[in-house]
Amino acid sequence: MSENRGVVYKGPGEVEVVDLDMPEFVLRDGPGVNPANVGRKVNHGVILKVVSTNICGSDQHMVRGRTTAPAGLVLGHEITGEVVEKGPDVEFLDVGDLVSVPFNIACGRCRNCKERATGICLNVNPDRPGSAYGYVDMGGWVGGQTRYVLVPYADFNALKFPDRDRAMAKILDLTMLSDIFPTGFHGCVSAGVGVGSTVYIAGAGPVGLAAAASAQLLGAAAVIVGDLNPERLAQARAFGCETVDVSKGDPGEQIAEILGVPEVDSAVDAVGFEARGHGDGSAQEAPATVLNSVMELTRAGGAIGIPGLYVTGDPGGVDEAAKVGSLSIRIGLGWAKSHAFTTGQCPVMKYHRGLMMAILHDKVSIAEAVNAKPIPLEDAPQGYRDFDRGAAAKYVLDPHGMVAAATG
């Protein structure tokens, strides 16, 4: 068996754990690598021994064949690891440091990075602004559902945990810092969630549950989570959320039963482009459903955060428009109600350290909220299958058994 192994997308519905080359301080050619990035020197990078790496709903979009991801792509953008080697240009990290890695890859040098918009770095992806590990059209940086991974611009990107032992004791919480906790938090912040506010979270998957926990952390008076999966709705109720089963009819009527009025101050779309209809149409895919629904449910003058993924290429779209990301959105309704909308990748680094401190000082139990389940790296294909069936869990891959040792 090779020293390095990882999870590879083989085609719609299929992933496999395979032997991989060990990372080097250069970006090699491979599936999804933009030709302009081939041979790119990464003297500013570190090689991590991956401590934990998570299966994300965004990965599932690719595995379902709902993006233009090429076969052979190494998956995974949620990475926590230990520095085992560093490039000659790395100054502030050392071998042995334990770090969290934002899923956004950012150079720290361009205009957007300097303005804290690290989700749309201008220098790391020749295709478009913004980059991520192991993701379609994101420059071809190798994913982190592996035993070892390369992290570029490491002094800028990696967040060092201040105490290794304390971090390992909370590793299931801290592994959520790479994506879903900041992403859910960003959805709430951009929706204006604050003390005393009411908020509707569309979607009770891991990002939705992370958003719900974030809304509680921000002081919301009422956090209502909508979904059609009973297990996931039960998970939301387990940490104090109200819930709405969208398969049972108009969410507004159900919200009115909770709040006395059929509207909220803020809404978060944690579903994205594979949304399904509400009520009798809940079995049918209707990609604009959530966006249109949250505009109806959010009060005039309110705000909507949209961390749910929307893509520019969807081979499995319900119609020709949806296949290029063109949806029938009631923008006139949003305009008439003076809604504010925030879309796009979460700039993880904007929230990274603060959320780490909230975890370390027991202000939030994010692993409990999302029902984190550690599994061996070799069990990743089963984890993908279970997650795709709607399991109310966040699967955490444990490539070296370090999570099991710390939590068992």
Side-chain angles (χ1 to χ4, degrees), residues 132-158:
Y133 303 88
Y135 209 81
V136 59
D137 295 334
M138 288 294 181
W141 299 92
V142 176
Q145 288 175 10
T146 53
R147 290 172 58 83
Y148 296 90
V149 67
L150 172 68
V151 173
Y153 301 100
D155 279 328
F156 183 66
N157 282 301

Side-chain angles (χ1 to χ4, degrees), residues 17-328:
V17 182
V18 303
D19 289 344
L20 300 171
D21 292 335
M22 284 293 290
E24 304 173 83
F25 294 111
V26 62
L27 187 55
R28 301 293 187 191
D29 196 9
V33 180
N34 186 295
N37 258 356
V38 174
R40 187 169 184 160
K41 302 292 185 183
V42 193
N43 293 335
H44 42 69
V46 295
I47 293 171
L48 297 185
K49 177 182 180 180
V50 177
V51 173
S52 60
T53 176
N54 315 322
I55 296 175
C56 181
S58 298
D59 299 319
Q60 280 287 19
H61 292 307
M62 290 187 291
V63 172
R64 291 182 187 128
R66 297 300 299 270
T67 72
T68 55
L73 186 71
V74 180
L75 299 171
H77 54 268
E78 302 188 16
I79 305 165
T80 305
E82 176 188 351
V83 177
V84 293
E85 189 176 354
K86 65 180 193 176
D89 292 345
V90 175
E91 294 186 70
F92 306 115
L93 292 173
D94 292 309
V95 171
D97 286 345
L98 196 64
V99 300
S100 177
V101 181
F103 78 90
N104 328 105
I105 301 172
C107 72
R109 296 154 166 81
C110 70
R111 172 182 175 173
N112 286 347
C113 284
K114 290 178 180 179
E115 294 178 357
R116 302 180 77 193
T118 51
I120 43 174
C121 174
L122 300 174
N123 288 333
V124 288
N125 180 7
D127 286 318
R128 64 180 72 175
S131 187
Y133 303 88
Y135 209 81
V136 59
D137 295 334
M138 288 294 181
W141 299 92
V142 176
Q145 288 175 10
T146 53
R147 290 172 58 83
Y148 296 90
V149 67
L150 172 68
V151 173
Y153 301 100
D155 279 328
F156 183 66
N157 282 301
L159 174 69
K160 178 182 173 181
F161 298 138
D163 182 275
R164 181 187 178 90
D165 292 339
R166 191 176 179 190
M168 287 304 299
K170 288 185 174 289
I171 191 62
L172 279 179
D173 294 284
L174 293 171
T175 192
M176 305 305 163
L177 284 175
S178 56
D179 183 355
I180 66 164
F181 191 14
T183 292
F185 193 84
H186 177 62
C188 289
V189 169
S190 57
V193 176
V195 174
S197 62
T198 59
V199 57
Y200 175 67
I201 312 289
V207 170
L209 295 172
S214 298
Q216 293 175 338
L217 186 63
L218 288 163
V223 181
I224 305 169
V225 179
D227 205 297
L228 47 77
N229 181 319
E231 289 184 26
R232 290 182 171 181
L233 290 173
Q235 179 62 28
R237 290 192 294 272
F239 63 98
C241 301
E242 303 282 356
T243 59
V244 163
D245 186 338
V246 300
S247 70
K248 294 183 177 178
D250 181 10
E253 294 179 1
Q254 297 180 64
I255 287 172
E257 293 177 5
I258 298 167
L259 299 178
V261 292
E263 64 180 17
V264 291
D265 298 318
S266 305
V268 177
D269 173 4
V271 177
F273 73 105
E274 287 194 68
R276 296 189 177 275
H278 294 164
D280 292 338
S282 60
Q284 303 298 318
E285 186 170 316
T289 296
V290 171
L291 291 172
N292 289 327
S293 175
V294 294
M295 283 189 278
E296 292 176 359
L297 299 172
T298 303
R299 68 173 178 84
I304 299 167
I306 310 173
L309 177 67
Y310 290 87
V311 296
T312 56
D314 173 12
V318 294
D319 54 36
E320 292 306 309
K323 289 178 180 179
V324 293
S326 181
L327 309 181
S328 298

Side-chain angles (χ1 to χ4, degrees), residues 334-349:
W335 189 92
K337 295 177 77 172
S338 295
H339 285 154
F341 299 84
T342 301
T343 66
Q345 285 189 38
C346 165
V348 171
M349 208 173 295

